[in-house]
Amino acid sequence: MKYRVWGWGVALSISLVASPLLAATVGDPVAGKEKTSMCEGCHGIKDYRTAYPSVYNVPKLGGQHATYIIDALKEYKNGQRHHPSMDAIAASLSEQDMADIAAYYSGESAKPQSGAQKK
């Protein structure tokens, strides 16, 4: 009996600690779509090339893995990656915002149509 109570106590403790962590990593694609206005200016324009600091293709986010998007945003936020626009945008995002945006872009509704990205 003593071990059963102890086991339930451990399980409850783990669930209380893990719940906020899971909430921050599980994104809502509907909420994410509402948060992408700052992303669409660069990442939503077909064949867009930016000239700052040098000319390069802007990556398309539709269909990208959610984990990659979250990791990239965190790296911009903590200074491991640098780009003037992305640094500022990522600095304003919470972990839940990042998860929501990633859930939207990794989902079916944000994936490019077949042939749309051909060059």
Side-chain angles (χ1 to χ4, degrees):
M1 181 71 156
K2 183 183 206 179
Y3 294 109
R4 188 177 299 170
V5 172
W6 181 82
W8 281 106
V10 169
L12 178 61
S13 297
I14 290 171
S15 68
L16 290 174
V17 169
S19 293
L21 297 174
L22 289 174
T25 59
V26 176
D28 176 0
V30 174
K33 184 175 183 179
E34 298 296 318
K35 298 174 184 179
T36 62
S37 61
M38 62 198 151
C39 310
E40 292 299 310
C42 295
H43 295 282
I45 302 171
K46 187 177 184 304
D47 297 327
Y48 178 69
R49 296 174 70 83
T50 183
Y52 184 84
S54 61
V55 178
Y56 60 93
N57 286 321
V58 176
K60 299 303 175 203
L61 299 179
Q64 185 60 265
H65 294 279
T67 304
Y68 174 81
I69 294 171
I70 292 168
D71 289 347
L73 288 169
K74 286 180 179 181
E75 288 172 2
Y76 282 114
K77 187 169 185 162
N78 70 26
Q80 289 177 291
R81 288 189 186 199
H82 295 287
H83 183 275
S85 298
M86 289 302 304
D87 293 348
I89 290 168
S92 72
L93 298 174
S94 69
E95 287 199 20
Q96 188 63 54
D97 292 337
M98 293 178 193
D100 293 344
I101 290 167
Y104 169 69
Y105 277 120
S106 67
E108 289 297 319
S109 62
K111 287 184 181 176
Q113 298 298 316
S114 61
Q117 298 297 319
K118 288 183 181 176
K119 289 199 174 200

